[in-house]
């Protein structure tokens, strides 16, 4: 019996700050290292002090795995590796490694810009952190050390997102990160093989929801943009540098092409160039349709979308502008918003959630008179729209993944307690596996039954098959042999081979017992009497009288001597090997009863 | 609390208590609690409860809910705790009979809600906030609260368990320091009731047979001795310690407790407490015994902690150091032929066999070495270490470890070959050893080994098996030791060795600069820059550098596909320029690189590179050049002008900020150059323009003012702040304090109208579309006279204040929070998951 234990400094029943610690067969792995965007203080990062209690981080943790580039999964990484002091290996997929620093840098710039914070990671720290990252390919088994191995599976959700299998010996855990079981416009669906892990750690964002088709939301989005542009208005779409922005760009680009629209679409900041570059570079990670059309036309080479210049915001006429940051809390997007807010013809579309305190949050909650810096009041007359495009697995998708992977236990994270409770019951009912949903800071321990693979020597195998039926994978068979444990490997060999390999001599263990018999005759006569008696009683056994005067019954040896003090008593020395324990004991008890008088 | 907030609060409370409202984002509730906490913190006597009856009403209505949501219940518990932190507010809440229903027996504990870790956590936090006066303590002790807290120490949630432990520490300290007037000498019935309960609980747990109870109590004691230095001066901590010392000793000796690392932490915290600073006594005997009985892995943190203490008996110190050196000693002995090296230590603290067996085992070898090396690095970084480190032997053993790791050393001894098998290709150990090696470079006395040390380092730099992370550390250690080598060769004139080493280093650097792995190229460039920074004045270094291919390769990397590498290449090229053609000494003959070429290349990067890092690197190199340069003013003027015109339109605000820094340096240098020396004889003939005018003309020609004034309205705040700082500096130069006393005078002048308009425009904030461009009716930024007036007329100080306020005051103001909560209630759908 072995243990897999797992605790969440910041992912259990909470959206934001994904960070899970898994201990499996003595190895400690941190899964994701996310931040919470809703806080500006220490609370934005997971509380690592609970891990540092166990000594130096680098010594305690065997590796860190990042599932994808979203900040709630990787935002605390530079803090963790460069400020808290973790110096060990970090694993992520190639696209995540390429894109992660862009988002971290984007977020750093916004944070430092807005708050003038100094106690935050720097660009150099982000770079130093990324240099520690080992990039992995899908389905590549990566050996972290001699015992620990990890393997990435496609997760959909965003470019480069992966689920990870963590394996030590025969024990394994699968961590899904965020995933999506239905393909979308540019990504495919998550997939995993039937790996039967001891534990599946799954996100449960949409634990109770069956999501409608994303197509409807996309149609709705295009309709709104189109209407605004048609009536001569301007559309502002605040986005983060990468992710949703590219998805929406593809949408608009194809729509513009189809409808032959002329209004300009701009993308602010130079970040998009690099972002689109990565989408091109990692074309194999996108869905089939994009890959197929790639030969004729690369989806990410936009004809209609052009780089934005600060002066364009004042141009008359309709236009669509993607601007960072995504929550309207600083910089370019906020500046454009201020310019356009007063005109009811214009529209702002928020394609994602905004944290409390930001202008984005305020306008989404319906506030129309905003106090800006310098105590000015900004009246918002433009239309405000919210669009959800997030790509998580819904309840159906989560169940589907469990069906695929066939885990022995399930642990739900990254969701709301109430919704998770519902899903937990459903999982337990349908799959008859235990399902856990630990709160932040809570440890879940799972017992596993490790099966230990053992190599069998050919000789032993041949011998065994000679006796019994041929080996059959479906019918487990018991085999006997000597187990050799050497250099971390286990081998079952025949006892003779074991002796040979280990250079040991064979010793025989014999049980002996003395039985006293009253018989005044000479010793050889007593022996003869015993022989005749046994031959009579043990008809099915081979009883022999040997020339040296001893008797054997099978392998059991009987010798007689006269008692040193009393010549009338003969001592029978019975000796047997442990294999013949039963017969030996029986013989002894038989002899103890004495010899029949009538024997001649 | 402001009036606006007081008006908003009842609505918020009503909304929070309404079970039909969808749950609020948890961060809002947390921030609301932050606000109440700050209100009571800054003014403990503030009458929140009486002044805002909506608060107790909120608590009452939440308590009346049949099934309050865990988040609102948690919020209420914490809110009540914060409110009850003063005695009067506590009494008010008691009168309304609310506290018992929250924290007492009728409260949520034991109910279904208690299953939620967040509710238990909130209960503990609430109690913690409340316990700041005697009635609260009394209330808890009589309402059975103590047992709940004791039980929560073993909570399945680590957060709850740790909070409960912290709470007990707080209560014990508070109870002893507030309830007793006379100093407590021995533990007796003088001790306050609450303290007695806690101490009895500690003692009972320590004597219990339950390992988890023992561990909880040890942790509690650890934080008690560790967290409150103030109270550790109090005599009661000593009394408490004497009471439990025997028990602790038995844990050490008996080995039945499996919490040895907690024991080590406890001893360290007690050692740090001033009560035990005397060097005599049984306490230090206990520490010594701990160093002997704990395994090297457990004793390590204790040893390094002891070595950092100012007051620690010298023999304990030496013993602690021995613990740390034992593994290094073992490495040396394992590697050497018999009697070649004597090892590091004359005698060891614990049985050397223990260390040997740990190092022989595959699973523990790397762990022990990494920990030991990390401790040694910490010791080397200490300014005052009160014991001597055997640096030479330490260096030798570090080199041995590194050679084991890359397979360059195959020892004959069985122990040695086992260890080397365990260590081969072990990146963790390599990195730790290189860190210590770098730290050791600052210690004296290792000179005899320097040749063989560079052999090891070069082997790492050359080996294709060196991983990028290890290579980076090797570079860091190498550059540190190169500095040491230079110092050494200056003193003993052994230039040949230095030249040979530098030659080898550049050869390997050439190879690494062409690595297919961007991490390696980048680290190589960083290494090159670090070397140039430290060694630029050394002739040998410059010669080796210029005779290598490094310069050419570095320039090639300006076009690297990876932006991080391009940025590092820019920095490296910039620093190289300082020693090749910007150096005051004659440039090296035959050098194919000239300044114009480089400047043109960097300027091209600044205007065309699609990413921020290289552009930021260029602007900071330009600033560095300007700081160090001795170019002609005219050239510089044109150069600066060109740069700021490029930078002004950059989308990356940090590049624009860099541009302002360049302007600042340029201004101060120009002012220095053009201003008359205050001690120079005043010439009577004033034929040339006054220095002030000339300055203004230079600045106008360089188009500085347009850039500065426009930056005031930048959408990114740090840019505006910096521009304002620069302008304030300039104004200080052009308008000495006395002339600014009456700014009205300037405003009334004929040109003043335009300036006043500019000022209004600027005051309005970032309305960049209204801002004038040159020509038309707008302000002419190139006209020295207008600029002089602008500087005087705009209230830059007020603007500065405004810019410094940051947008946070809107985002973080309680009023904005309350408005957001009110607006959010019932309007926002459940869309939090779209956050990312």
């Amino acid at each position: 019996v072995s243990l897999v234990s797992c605790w969440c400094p910041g992912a259990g029943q909470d959206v934001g700050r994904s960070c899970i610690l898994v201990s499996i067969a003595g190895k400690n792995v941190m899964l994701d290292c996310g931040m919470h965007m809703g806080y500006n203080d220490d609370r934005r990062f997971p509380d690592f002090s609970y891990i540092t209690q166990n000594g130096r981080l680098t010594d305690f943790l065997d590796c860190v795995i990042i599932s994808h580039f979203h900040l709630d999964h990787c935002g605390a990484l530079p803090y963790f590796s460069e400020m808290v002091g973790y110096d060990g290996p970090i694993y992520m997929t190639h696209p995540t490694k390429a894109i992660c620093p862009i988002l971290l840098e984007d977020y750093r710039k916004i944070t430092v810009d807005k708050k003038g914070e100094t106690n935050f990671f720097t660009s150099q720290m982000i770079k130093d952190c990324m240099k520690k990252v080992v990039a992995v390919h899908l389905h590549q088994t990566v050996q972290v050390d001699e015992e620990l191995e990890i393997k990435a599976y496609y997760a959909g959700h965003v470019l480069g997102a992966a689920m990870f299998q963590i394996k030590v010996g025969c024990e394994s855990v699968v961590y899904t990160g965020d995933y999506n079981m239905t393909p979308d416009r540019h990504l495919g669906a998550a997939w995993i093989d039937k790996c039967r892990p001891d534990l599946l750690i799954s996100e449960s964002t949409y634990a109770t929801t069956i999501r409608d088709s994303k197509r409807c939301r996309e149609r709705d989005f295009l309709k709104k943009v189109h209407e605004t542009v048609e009536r001569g208005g301007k559309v502002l779409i605040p986005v983060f540098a990468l992710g949703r922005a590219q998805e929406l760009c593809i949408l608009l680009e194809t729509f513009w092409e189809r409808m032959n629209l002329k209004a300009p679409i701009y993308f602010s900041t130079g970040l998009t160039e690099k972002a689109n570059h990565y989408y091109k570079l990692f074309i194999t990670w996108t869905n089939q349709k994009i890959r197929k059309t790639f030969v004729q036309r690369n989806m990410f080479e936009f004809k209609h979308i052009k780089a934005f210049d600060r002066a364009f915001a004042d141009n008359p006429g309709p236009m669509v502008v993607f601007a960072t940051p995504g929550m309207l809390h600083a910089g370019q997007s906020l500046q454009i918003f201020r310019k356009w807010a007063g005109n009811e013809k214009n529209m702002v579309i928020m394609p994602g959630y905004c944290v409390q305190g930001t202008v984005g949050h305020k306008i989404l909650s319906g506030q129309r008179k905003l106090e800006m810096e310098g105590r000015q009041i900004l009246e918002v007359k433009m239309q405000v729209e919210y669009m959800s495009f997030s790509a998580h697995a819904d309840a159906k998708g989560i169940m589907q993944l469990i069906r695929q992977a066939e885990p022995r236990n399930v642990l739900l994270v990254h969701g709301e307690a109430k919704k998770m409770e519902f899903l937990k019951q459903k999982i337990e009912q349908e799959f008859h596996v235990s399902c856990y949903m630990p709160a932040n800071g809570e440890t879940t321990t799972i017992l596993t039954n490790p099966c230990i693979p053992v190599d069998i020597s050919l000789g032993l195998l041949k011998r065994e098959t000679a006796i019994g039926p041929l080996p059959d994978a479906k019918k487990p068979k018991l085999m006997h042999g000597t187990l050799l444990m050497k250099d971390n490997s286990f081998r079952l060999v025949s006892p003779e081979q074991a002796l040979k390999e280990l250079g040991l001599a064979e010793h025989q263990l014999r049980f002996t017992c003395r039985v006293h018999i009253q018989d005044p005759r000479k010793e050889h006569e007593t022996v003869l009497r015993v022989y005749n008696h046994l031959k009579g009683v043990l008809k099915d056994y081979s009883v022999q009288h040997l020339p040296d005067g001893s008797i054997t019954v099978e392998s059991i040896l009987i010798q007689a001597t006269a008692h040193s003090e009393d010549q009338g008593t003969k001592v029978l020395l019975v000796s047997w090997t442990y294999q013949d324990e039963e017969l030996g004991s029986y013989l002894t008890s038989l002899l103890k009863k004495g010899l029949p008088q009538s024997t001649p | 609390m402001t009036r606006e907030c007081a008006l908003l609060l009842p609505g918020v409370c009503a909304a929070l208590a309404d079970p039909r409202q969808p749950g609020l984002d948890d961060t809002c509730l947390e921030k609301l609690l932050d606000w109440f906490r700050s209100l009571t913190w800054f003014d403990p006597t503030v009458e929140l409860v009486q002044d805002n009856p909506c608060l107790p009403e909120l608590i009452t209505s939440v308590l009346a809910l049949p099934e309050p949501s865990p988040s609102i219940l948690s919020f209420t518990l914490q809110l009540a705790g914060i409110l009850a932190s003063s005695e009067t507010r506590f009494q008010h809440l008691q009168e309304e009979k609310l506290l018992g229903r929250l924290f007492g027996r009728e409260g949520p504990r034991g109910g279904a809600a208690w299953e939620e870790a967040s509710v238990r956590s909130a209960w503990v936090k609430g109690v913690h906030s409340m316990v700041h006066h005697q009635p609260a303590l009394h209330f808890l002790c009589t309402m059975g609260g103590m047992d709940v807290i004791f039980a929560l120490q073993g909570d399945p949630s680590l957060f709850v368990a740790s909070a409960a432990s912290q709470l007990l520490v707080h209560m014990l300290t508070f109870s002893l320091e507030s309830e007793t007037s006379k100093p407590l000498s021995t533990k007796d019935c003088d001790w306050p009731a609450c303290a007695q309960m806690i101490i009895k609980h500690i003692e009972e747990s320590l004597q219990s047979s339950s390992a988890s109870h023992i561990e909880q109590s040890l942790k509690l004691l650890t934080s008690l001795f560790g967290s409150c230095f103030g109270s550790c001066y109090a005599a009661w901590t000593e009394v408490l310690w004497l009471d439990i010392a025997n028990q602790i000793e038995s844990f050490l000796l008996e080995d039945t407790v499996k919490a040895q690392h907690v024991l080590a932490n406890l001893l360290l915290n007690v050692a740090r407490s001033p009560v035990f600073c005397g060097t005599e006594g049984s306490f230090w005997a206990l520490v010594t015994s701990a160093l002997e009985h704990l395994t090297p892995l457990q004793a390590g943190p204790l040893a390094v902690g002891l070595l950092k203490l100012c007051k620690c008996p010298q023999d304990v110190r030496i013993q602690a150091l021995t613990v740390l050196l034992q593994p290094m000693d073992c490495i040396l002995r394992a590697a050497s032929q018999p009697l070649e090296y004597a090892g590091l230590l004359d005698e060891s603290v614990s049985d050397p066999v223990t260390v040997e067996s740990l190092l022989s085992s595959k699973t523990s070898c790397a762990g022990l070495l990494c920990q030991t090396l990390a401790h040694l690095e910490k010791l080397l970084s200490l300014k005052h270490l009160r014991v001597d480190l055997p640096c030479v032997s330490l260096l030798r053993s570090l080199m041995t470890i590194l050679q084991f790791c890359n397979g360059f050393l195959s020892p004959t001894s069985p122990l040695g070959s086992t260890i080397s098998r365990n260590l081969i290709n072990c990146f963790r150990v390599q990195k730790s050893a290189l860190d210590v090696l770098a730290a050791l470079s600052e210690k004296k006395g290792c000179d005899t080994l320097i040749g063989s040390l560079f052999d090891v380092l070069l082997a790492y730099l050359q080996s294709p098996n060196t991983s990028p992370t290890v290579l980076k550390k090797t570079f860091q250690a190498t550059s540190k030791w190169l500095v040491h080598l230079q110092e050494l060769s200056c003193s003993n004139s052994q230039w040949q060795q230095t030249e040979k080493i530098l030659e080898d280093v550049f050869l390997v650097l050439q190879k690494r600069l062409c690595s297919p792995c961007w991490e390696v190229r980048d680290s190589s460039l960083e290494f090159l820059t670090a070397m140039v920074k430290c060694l630029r004045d050394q002739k040998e270094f410059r010669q080796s550098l210029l005779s290598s291919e490094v310069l050419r390769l570095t320039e090639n990397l300006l076009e690297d596909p990876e932006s991080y590498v391009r940025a590092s290449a820019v920095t490296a090229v910039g620093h190289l320029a300082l020693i090749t053609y910007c150096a005051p000494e004659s440039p090296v003959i035959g050098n194919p690189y000239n300044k114009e070429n480089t400047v043109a290349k960097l300027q091209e990067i600044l205007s065309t590179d699609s990413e921020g890092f290289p552009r930021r690197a260029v602007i900071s190199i330009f600033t560095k050049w300007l700081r160090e340069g001795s170019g002609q003013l005219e050239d510089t003027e044109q150069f600066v002008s060109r740069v700021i015109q490029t930078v002004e339109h950059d989308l990356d605000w940090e590049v624009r900020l860099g541009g302002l820094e360049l302007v600042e340096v340029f201004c101060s240098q120009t002012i220095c150059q053009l201003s008359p020396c205050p001690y120079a004889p005043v010439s009577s003939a004033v034929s040339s323009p006054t220095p002030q005018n000339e300055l203004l003309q230079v600045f106008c020609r360089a188009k500085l003012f347009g850039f500065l004034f426009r930056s005031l309205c930048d959408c990114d705040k740090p840019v505006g702040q910096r521009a304002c700082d620069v302008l304030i500096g300039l104004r200080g130069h052009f308008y000495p304090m006395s002339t600014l006393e009456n700014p009205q005078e300037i405003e009334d002048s004929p040109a003043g109208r335009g300036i006043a308009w500019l000022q209004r425009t600027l005051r309005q904030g970032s309305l960049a579309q209204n801002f004038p461009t040159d020509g038309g009716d707008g302000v002419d930024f190139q006209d020295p006279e207008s600029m002089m007036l602008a500087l005087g007329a705009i209230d830059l100080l007020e603007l500065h204040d405004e810019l410094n306020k940051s947008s946070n005051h809107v985002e973080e103001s309680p009023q904005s929070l309350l408005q957001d909560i009110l607006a959010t209630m019932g309007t926002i759908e459940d869309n939090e998951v779209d956050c990312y």
Side-chain angles (χ1 to χ4, degrees), chain B residues 407-427:
Chain B
F408 275 39
L409 198 66
S410 357
T412 46
S413 76
L415 177 64
S417 61
T418 312
I419 297 179
S420 74
R421 256 205 318 277
N422 288 343
L423 287 182
I424 194 120
N425 276 334
C426 183
F427 297 157

Side-chain angles (χ1 to χ4, degrees), chain B residues 270-541:
Chain B
V270 179
R272 283 182 187 139
S273 102
V275 176
F276 300 96
C277 62
T279 50
E280 304 276 310
S282 56
F283 172 70
W284 293 110
L286 183 57
V287 172
T288 312
S289 140
L291 288 173
E292 279 166 21
H293 284 94
L294 296 173
T295 68
L297 269 169
Q298 293 157 348
L302 175 63
V304 77
L306 289 169
L307 285 165
K308 282 193 206 163
L309 290 180
C310 309
K311 287 177 183 167
C312 172
Q314 189 66 8
D315 55 332
V316 177
R317 243 180 231 146
I318 289 170
Q319 194 155 21
L321 183 64
T322 313
V323 166
L324 295 182
L325 290 178
Q326 265 185 164
M328 308 302 282
D329 174 65
C330 183
I331 291 282
L332 269 189
R333 279 188 288 110
S336 69
Q337 301 296 326
L339 299 177
E340 192 188 343
Y341 303 126
L344 262 163
L345 301 168
D346 301 330
E347 55 183 283
S348 42
V349 177
S350 55
D351 190 358
V353 176
T354 320
V355 175
E356 276 170 26
S357 70
L358 281 172
L359 289 179
S360 308
S361 146
K362 179 107 201 160
T363 43
S364 58
C365 177
L368 176 63
L369 278 181
C370 284
Q371 199 206 53
T372 307
L373 290 165
H375 290 325
L376 288 170
E377 193 198 349
K378 216 175 267 173
L379 287 190
L380 284 165
S381 70
L382 290 181
K383 281 213 172 66
H384 304 288
L385 184 62
R386 289 168 181 81
V387 282
D388 290 329
L389 273 177
C391 290
V392 179
S393 307
L394 200 55
L395 179 59
R396 191 172 278 138
S397 99
L398 283 173
M399 281 157 52
T400 311
I401 291 175
L402 286 171
Q403 284 171 314
F404 278 159
C405 288
N406 68 358
F408 275 39
L409 198 66
S410 357
T412 46
S413 76
L415 177 64
S417 61
T418 312
I419 297 179
S420 74
R421 256 205 318 277
N422 288 343
L423 287 182
I424 194 120
N425 276 334
C426 183
F427 297 157
R428 277 170 65 199
V429 175
Q430 289 176 349
K431 285 193 280 186
S432 305
L434 287 162
D435 279 338
V436 187
L437 200 60
L440 202 60
S441 69
E442 278 149 35
K443 297 284 168 192
K444 300 273 176 287
C446 300
D447 306 343
T448 48
L449 289 175
I450 208 158
S452 35
L453 168 66
F454 272 101
D455 288 343
V456 175
L457 287 173
L458 279 164
Y460 266 76
L461 292 177
Q462 282 155 352
S463 166
N465 291 332
T466 307
S467 88
T469 44
V470 174
L471 186 74
K472 189 180 166 196
K473 301 248 177 199
T474 315
F475 276 138
Q476 284 165 350
T478 308
S479 67
K480 290 232 172 168
W481 278 95
L482 277 176
V483 175
H484 187 79
L485 178 71
Q486 284 289 345
E487 288 162 4
L488 194 68
S489 58
C490 284
S491 61
N492 66 7
S493 309
Q494 286 192 339
W495 304 113
Q496 276 177 333
Q497 186 192 24
T498 310
E499 271 166 32
K500 176 74 183 71
I501 288 173
L502 280 171
E503 211 171 277
D504 291 345
V505 167
F506 281 119
L507 266 179
V508 77
L509 186 61
Q510 274 166 215
K511 204 178 89 192
R512 292 296 187 179
L513 284 172
C514 305
S515 164
C517 174
W518 74 262
E519 292 91 338
V520 171
R521 297 196 300 277
D522 191 75
S523 299
S524 309
L525 288 167
E526 286 179 332
F527 169 61
L528 177 62
T529 308
M531 277 200 300
V532 174
K533 276 184 186 167
C534 304
L535 302 170
R536 54 189 271 193
D537 300 328
Q538 306 293 328
K539 205 177 85 201
E540 301 78 38
F541 173 75

Side-chain angles (χ1 to χ4, degrees), chain A residues 1-5 23-26 168 170-171 198 409 445-452:
Chain A
V1 176
S2 169
L3 301 175
V4 170
S5 76
S23 298
I24 167 170
V168 181
C170 57
E171 289 165 81
D198 293 296
N409 299 277
T445 303
I446 286 148
L447 298 180
T448 59
N449 291 312
C451 58
I452 299 162

Side-chain angles (χ1 to χ4, degrees), chain A residues 40 43 87 97 105 108-109 113-114 124 131 205 274 353 356 362 367 373 386 388 390 441, chain B residues 25 30 34 158 431 519 522 526 611 616 652 654 716-717 811-812 816 820 831 833-834:
Chain A
N40 303 327
R43 285 173 287 188
D87 199 19
K97 180 174 180 179
E105 176 65 17
R108 181 199 67 81
K109 279 181 79 81
D113 174 1
K114 212 163 72 76
Q124 180 71 33
K131 281 187 181 177
T205 314
K274 185 162 184 176
Y353 169 76
Q356 186 275 321
K362 285 180 190 292
Q367 300 180 57
E373 291 146 53
Y386 173 76
S388 161
S390 80
Chain B
D25 174 358
E30 283 279 319
D34 287 349
L158 280 177
K431 285 193 280 186
E519 292 91 338
D522 191 75
E526 286 179 332
E611 285 183 60
R616 270 185 249 161
D652 184 336
E654 279 170 303
D716 291 291
K717 193 143 295 169
E811 202 166 296
E812 287 183 349
S816 153
D820 282 358
N831 58 19
V833 291
D834 282 340

Side-chain angles (χ1 to χ4, degrees), chain B residues 160-198:
Chain B
V160 177
S162 147
S165 180
Q166 291 301 329
L167 174 60
L168 287 176
V169 170
H170 168 72
M171 289 172 77
L172 180 61
T173 318
F174 178 75
S175 139
L176 280 165
E177 299 194 342
S178 66
E179 292 191 69
T180 50
S181 45
K182 58 177 182 179
L184 296 160
S185 49
T186 50
K187 196 178 69 98
D188 52 23
C189 47
D190 286 352
W191 289 49
C194 175
Q196 279 186 36
M197 283 169 92
I198 296 174

